Amino acid sequence: MPVPDLIRESFVGQLIYNFSGKRYFQYAEERPGFVCPRRFDPARRASWTGPDSEAATLSEKKPIPEQKQKEGEKDKNRVSVAEREEGATDTQDPRSRSSSDPERGIAVSDEKPDPNLVDWYGPDDPEHPMNWSLRKRCFVTFNLCLLTFSIYIGSAIYAPGIEDVAQKFGVSDVAATLGLTMFVVGYGVGPMFLSPLSEIPQFGRTNVYILSLLVFVVLQVPTALCKNLGALIPLRFLAGFAGSPPLATGGASLADMWAPEDRAVSIGLWGLAAVCGPVLGPLLGGFATQAEGWTWTIWILLWLSGASLVYLCVFLPETSSQTILHRRAVRLRRLTGNHALRTQAEIDAAHMTMGEVAQMTLIRPFVLCVSEPIVLFWNLYIALVYGIIYIFIASFNVVFIEGHGFNLGENGLAFMGLFVGALVTYAGFVPYAVLHLKPMFKNGIENFIPEERLPVAWVGSIFLPISLFWFGWTAAPSIPWIVPIIGSGFFTIGAFLLFQAGLNYLSDCYPRYVASVLAGNDFFRSMVGAAFPLFSTAFFHNLGVGQACSVLGGIAVAMLPIPFFLYKYGARIRSWSKYAD
């Protein structure tokens, strides 16, 4: 039964495929007329002598022209676990990988490849995510943005209901704020345990996303029905924990589909979706709390995430190359009866000990954070930005509700300044990425200098303190409310550019350990973001909005030299590291 590949690779598509006994949603290998590559078929392998004859088998009607021999890749079976554990080769463009098809200009090794190693059929293999059509990749990118937004909004949508929670449960506002902070702690801790599951070929990214989202949706029901704070806080933590995988692994899913020269635009859009969660959450939560109380912030979150779950079950395909190849290997083993067929990921997994797995998932993110100056500096910087995002939530209550007399719904509308700032920044960033960053890859990714990611961070580092000083010193009730809202818009300009530059820079500096670096960054910034709301209201009341924002602005000024320093000395620092490439 021919179906679109996108649906067949989705969670529902795989359920139908497996429960129907492989009769529905079949793959090319299972349809009549498929010719199995010669090296995988024991009955025909005797006539296979190496890459050239394999290419002839796959494309017998085309004469194979002479191809200049290129330097081959190192034998894949000798690549260390440390080099492969982060999925660095998983997201490679198939056009840069070793293949047996010299007609397409792919590097050919002098050594005969392992005949039992299941890889791509050629550089244009349609199952490789980087070979998907532009329309399909854009559609899947939108789906990942929707998934991220549906989780991220769960933190800030609760914020307008904090005072109502305090009144109904008879606790202080600080205690009620724990419902916000524990959610953030949950999605900071969760990736350390759940995200590594997406790197296991038998699981894949989509199954982890969908199953964790299902748990997230279910947890909203008892959360909305809570009658005391003792039940609310652990449920909010568990919800953040369960919803965490896409917040840390979404960037890896995009890297599965987009080549490095296009990645800045796609990850920028994903980052925009992440920013929209905390920004639009108070808008929806404010009107909901004002009309029906705090529980309706949770019911809205349930409807939004539940609708996303139903939609993504059908329209979010698997993007992990390791998982796609694993499924191919399973089909070829069944088709040929050759049970020795294995993917490189299966070979690597067979040689990994539990100690290596623990080091990869739990220990290495902290080691990199402490021992690598580049990682430490950016984690501190991004954590500051993240903390200020959440402290803004409290400052808006002080400025617009207490100072300008806004109600909860109107206070939520004040966050639109942050939203508009993010949209304008992304619209301006896209031409920069296309016209300036993309041409730098024309000589190959190996010649791209990671520090070229940092000039946009220069702009962001300047806008950040400008926004804080502007907002703080125009927050007085005597000044029109639109003035501080405009100032807040400059904050998201700075935040977006710093996130965009920082996360891409870390990924480029540590391609073999990108999962560990980004998981550590997510944990670090989430811990800081969770702590800030606990003292933010007292901070603004005791110092005053102007002085409090000046303190934050002063810290931002002190950290402003970081991107300039790393642009000048980053390459030298990387040369001292045993982790950086």
Side-chain angles (χ1 to χ4, degrees), residues 197-417:
L197 295 177
S198 69
E199 302 294 337
I200 300 176
Q202 290 83 351
F203 290 169
R205 304 202 198 281
T206 296
N207 287 337
V208 174
Y209 289 158
I210 296 301
L211 292 176
S212 63
L213 181 59
L214 174 62
V215 175
F216 179 85
V217 170
V218 171
L219 284 172
Q220 304 314 311
V221 176
T223 302
L225 299 176
C226 280
K227 301 301 181 184
N228 58 73
L229 193 65
L232 177 65
I233 290 176
L235 284 171
R236 288 285 289 172
F237 171 80
L238 290 174
F241 186 94
S244 65
L247 309 185
T249 315
S253 295
L254 294 173
D256 292 335
M257 300 182 291
W258 297 98
E261 60 266 28
D262 299 316
R263 208 164 288 161
V265 174
S266 61
I267 290 183
L269 184 61
W270 178 63
L272 179 64
V275 170
C276 287
V279 169
L280 296 181
L283 174 61
L284 297 178
F287 283 108
T289 302
Q290 183 177 311
E292 300 291 345
W294 76 271
T295 57
W296 276 80
T297 65
I298 307 301
W299 291 125
I300 290 176
L301 180 59
L302 170 65
W303 300 333
L304 174 61
S305 57
S308 298
L309 174 64
V310 173
Y311 169 79
L312 295 172
C313 276
V314 180
F315 294 109
L316 182 64
E318 181 57 58
T319 64
S320 171
S321 297
Q322 291 185 357
T323 298
I324 295 171
L325 285 175
H326 170 75
R327 293 173 180 174
R328 171 177 288 178
V330 171
R331 297 193 298 271
L332 289 173
R333 287 195 288 264
R334 187 171 62 249
L335 175 69
T336 64
N338 180 10
H339 296 286
L341 296 178
R342 292 290 185 274
T343 65
Q344 186 62 54
E346 290 176 305
I347 295 172
D348 292 339
H351 295 88
M352 289 184 69
T353 65
M354 290 301 295
E356 289 173 325
V357 173
Q359 181 184 21
M360 178 183 72
T361 58
L362 299 177
I363 301 174
R364 183 169 291 140
F366 297 101
V367 172
L368 288 168
C369 179
V370 174
S371 65
E372 293 294 306
I374 290 176
V375 178
L376 179 61
F377 285 152
W378 272 113
N379 282 357
L380 289 172
Y381 210 160
I382 297 299
L384 171 68
V385 176
Y386 206 69
I388 294 173
I389 289 177
Y390 283 97
I391 210 170
F392 254 146
I393 295 174
S395 69
F396 275 43
N397 290 346
V398 176
V399 172
F400 298 107
I401 294 180
E402 298 179 14
H404 289 278
F406 285 15
N407 59 37
L408 284 175
E410 292 168 342
N411 185 58
L413 289 171
F415 284 85
M416 293 304 292

